[in-house]
Structure formats: structure tokens, C-alpha cells
Amino acid sequence: MHIAQGVMKTINVNKLTKAGCKVKIWIADWFAQLNNKMGGDLKKIKTVGEYLIEIWKAVGMDIDGDKVEFLWSSDEINSRAHEYWPLVMDIARRNKLPRIMRCVQIMGRSEQDELTAAQIFYPCMQCADIFFLKADICQLGMDQRKVNVLAREYCDDIKRKNKPIILSHHMLPGLQQGQEKMSKSDPSSSIFMEDEEAEVKTKIKKAYCPPQIVEGNPCLEYIKYIVFPWFHEFKVERNPENGGEKIYKSFEELVADYESGGLHPGDLKPALAKALNTILQPVRDHFSKDPKAKDLLKRVKGYRVTR
């Protein structure tokens, strides 16, 4: 799991629960199988699902009480198949194939990819999930927006007034120049939730971070979308001759300093790595000390990653 899926998801869920929402996290094991993850091996996929839950708990997702509910798609769909499948069929019936094809990016695919029939089911099922789960708000990344729009359009088709609200979060870029999105196939493009302290330092040290340039700077994106929401400040430690220690209370203040040259990448990067390592340390501790978590991580790392 990369840091956007782990930390940004936790930040967003905690914001929602603090605002009084009840959050349902859909562990989409059948969907991963449809998309041929882990070679379509459902047993391996379920192990990965357990590992994801352990990470969210360890990093600080507020799951006390009944604020957050983890639901496995295979279990829920099988238990209420009479509700689910007629909904999927109705969505499929009301949409032309090109409209469904435009949604395939939700699986990390493009319309030009050679798709299996299973991957055509996927958008119809994901659209159905929203109504099946009785979700008032769909909180997913911008890459999932098209299927959420499909759900709102389906409401028009069936004359349903209360449409689901789309709450799309920003997509963190990869750490290298020109990488619009993190890639799990390129380990240097993102920080992973179980990366060791030294790995985080090395990845941030090698990350694209041109002096005085804010646009397209992944290090600044990490600070804006992870560090500030987590700590509500950004602390830079420098030698007195380089300006000494400084604590930024807003991202705008940091940007102004960075653009003027008052803050150098050589000082920003170690501060960013330190902040990220502080967030990730409880996860490392959990996966090194808890026997169940330790076993899950070992098994997940042993699986060959398949797209």
C-alpha cells in the first residue's frame, strides 16, 4: 500500500467521522479478482485485504465505536444477491457499451487496452455498490470520478431525486519528474506504508524538487496533502547560517518562501522525510511486533504483483 492509499485515506476518513459521518470501507475482493489482481487468486486477494485493514488501524484511522465498518464485497454480495444482481443488470441495461468503456480508467486501464469481459462488468458493479451500500457520499480519488458520475446519471434514468454526493480527493503524483500518478510497479515513484526509515530518506532525497519551482513539484504536493493535514505545520531544521529552524503554519507561507529561494530543496527534503517517517513509525512498529500483522506482511510480500 502506498502512502496516498494509507495516510490520505486515513486523513479523509477521520475528517468524515469527526463531522458525524458513518464510513463504510468496501474491501473489494471480487473487484480485484475481476481486474486480475494477484493473478485472480481470491485467497491471496483476501490476505491483501486483511493487510490493508491492519495498516489503516496502525496508522491511526479512528475506528472506535461503529464509526467505520469494513465490508467484504464477496460476503455482502453473496448474502444479498437478490438485491445486488438485479441492480447491476439494470445499470448495464440502461447504458451503452461506449459509456461503460469510458469508465475503465477506474481499474487503472485505458479504453485502448485489450479488456476481458470481466472488466466490462466492473464499472456496472461499482456503480451498483453505491446504491447497494446506501451511500449518501462517495469518497474516492479523482481517478474514480467517472463511475461516480455514472451513478448520478443512473439516478436521472430511474427518476431518483437524492443523488449520491461525489467527494473526490486529489491524486498524489509520483516522486519523479512528470509522473502524474504514483506507480506500484516503480518503487521509486512513491513511499510505501512499510518502507523503512532509510528507504523513505533515500526516495525523498532522489525525488524531483527543483529550486523555486512549485508547479509539478511532488515534494510540495506531499507537504500540502499529507504533512499539513496531519501535523497542521511543517518544521524545517537548518543550521543558523542557513536561516535556522523555521515552523511553517500554512502551505501558502511555505510556497512564498520556496519561490523566493528562502527555502532550499536541500533543507526541505530532510524535513519532509522526517515528517513522513514520524507518520509511518507506528505502522513499522505494528508490523514488526504484532504476530498477525507480521505474518500478513510476509505473505503479501511473497506474492508476485500482477496488474
Side-chain angles (χ1 to χ4, degrees):
M1 185 195 274
H2 55 59
I3 203 164
Q5 201 180 359
V7 178
M8 280 181 70
K9 171 78 77 187
T10 298
I11 289 166
N12 290 331
V13 167
N14 289 353
K15 279 182 185 176
L16 287 163
T17 56
K18 193 176 179 183
C21 295
K22 180 174 179 179
V23 177
K24 295 180 181 183
I25 295 184
W26 196 227
I27 309 295
D29 50 359
W30 264 7
F31 292 79
Q33 188 178 35
L34 280 173
N35 205 8
N36 202 34
K37 299 293 183 182
M38 295 293 149
D41 186 327
L42 195 61
K43 193 177 176 184
K44 286 182 179 178
I45 289 165
K46 282 184 176 289
T47 302
V48 174
E50 294 280 1
Y51 149 83
L52 301 182
I53 293 170
E54 287 297 313
I55 286 185
W56 285 319
K57 288 178 180 175
V59 80
M61 187 178 283
D62 182 10
I63 59 170
D64 293 339
D66 61 351
K67 291 181 224 170
V68 177
E69 190 178 6
F70 295 102
L71 299 169
W72 293 81
S73 67
S74 56
D75 294 343
E76 295 299 314
I77 291 168
N78 279 334
S79 68
R80 289 159 54 203
H82 62 288
E83 289 177 49
Y84 188 78
W85 293 113
L87 193 53
V88 174
M89 288 162 65
D90 195 48
I91 290 163
R93 191 173 61 82
R94 290 173 185 270
N95 284 282
K96 301 284 190 290
L97 190 57
R99 178 72 186 88
I100 298 299
M101 292 283 283
R102 288 201 296 275
C103 291
V104 297
Q105 74 182 69
I106 61 177
M107 301 176 284
R109 312 280 167 174
S110 78
E111 292 175 55
Q112 281 71 47
D113 287 354
E114 192 174 349
L115 301 170
T116 63
Q119 287 160 339
I120 302 299
F121 295 163
Y122 193 109
C124 298
M125 288 172 67
Q126 192 174 333
C127 181
D129 292 346
I130 295 163
F131 304 101
F132 181 68
L133 293 170
K134 298 179 171 59
D136 302 301
I137 300 169
C138 306
Q139 202 292 297
L140 290 164
M142 283 297 292
D143 60 335
Q144 306 291 305
R145 188 174 168 80
K146 284 184 178 178
V147 82
N148 289 340
V149 171
L150 183 71
R152 286 177 63 87
E153 290 173 352
Y154 176 66
C155 290
D156 292 332
D157 292 340
I158 62 172
K159 307 290 188 287
R160 174 177 165 151
K161 286 182 181 176
N162 56 327
K163 298 179 183 181
I165 293 160
I166 305 173
L167 197 61
S168 305
H169 64 252
H170 175 75
M171 303 296 293
L172 272 186
L175 289 170
Q176 305 307 314
Q177 185 175 4
Q179 290 181 329
E180 284 185 16
K181 193 179 170 187
M182 290 178 176
S183 167
K184 287 180 184 173
S185 57
D186 176 7
S188 70
S189 85
S190 61
I191 305 294
F192 291 97
M193 293 300 290
E194 69 278 349
D195 277 351
E196 293 298 331
E197 190 174 343
E199 286 178 284
V200 173
K201 287 179 179 175
T202 300
K203 286 180 181 182
I204 296 297
K205 191 175 182 180
K206 292 179 177 176
Y208 179 65
C209 189
Q212 298 176 266
I213 304 293
V214 173
E215 192 70 32
N217 187 324
C219 289
L220 290 174
E221 293 250 334
Y222 265 59
I223 294 167
K224 181 178 181 180
Y225 291 101
I226 292 180
V227 178
F228 269 109
W230 196 270
F231 297 106
H232 310 293
E233 64 178 33
F234 182 64
K235 185 177 179 181
V236 176
E237 295 167 347
R238 296 180 289 203
N239 295 327
E241 60 268 26
N242 293 332
E245 183 183 289
K246 183 157 184 182
I247 296 174
Y248 294 95
K249 292 294 184 182
S250 73
F251 183 68
E252 291 71 25
E253 183 192 359
L254 184 145
V255 164
D257 234 10
Y258 193 80
E259 282 184 318
S260 71
L263 176 60
H264 190 270
D267 296 314
L268 179 142
K269 283 184 170 188
L272 172 56
K274 187 173 182 178
L276 295 176
N277 274 320
T278 301
I279 295 170
L280 295 178
Q281 194 54 48
V283 179
R284 293 186 199 115
D285 293 344
H286 181 64
F287 279 89
S288 64
K289 292 172 185 173
D290 184 281
K292 180 191 172 187
K294 199 173 188 177
D295 177 60
L296 279 170
L297 179 59
K298 185 181 175 184
R299 283 155 67 193
V300 169
K301 281 194 165 180
Y303 299 156
R304 186 175 67 85
V305 177
T306 58
R307 267 186 58 70

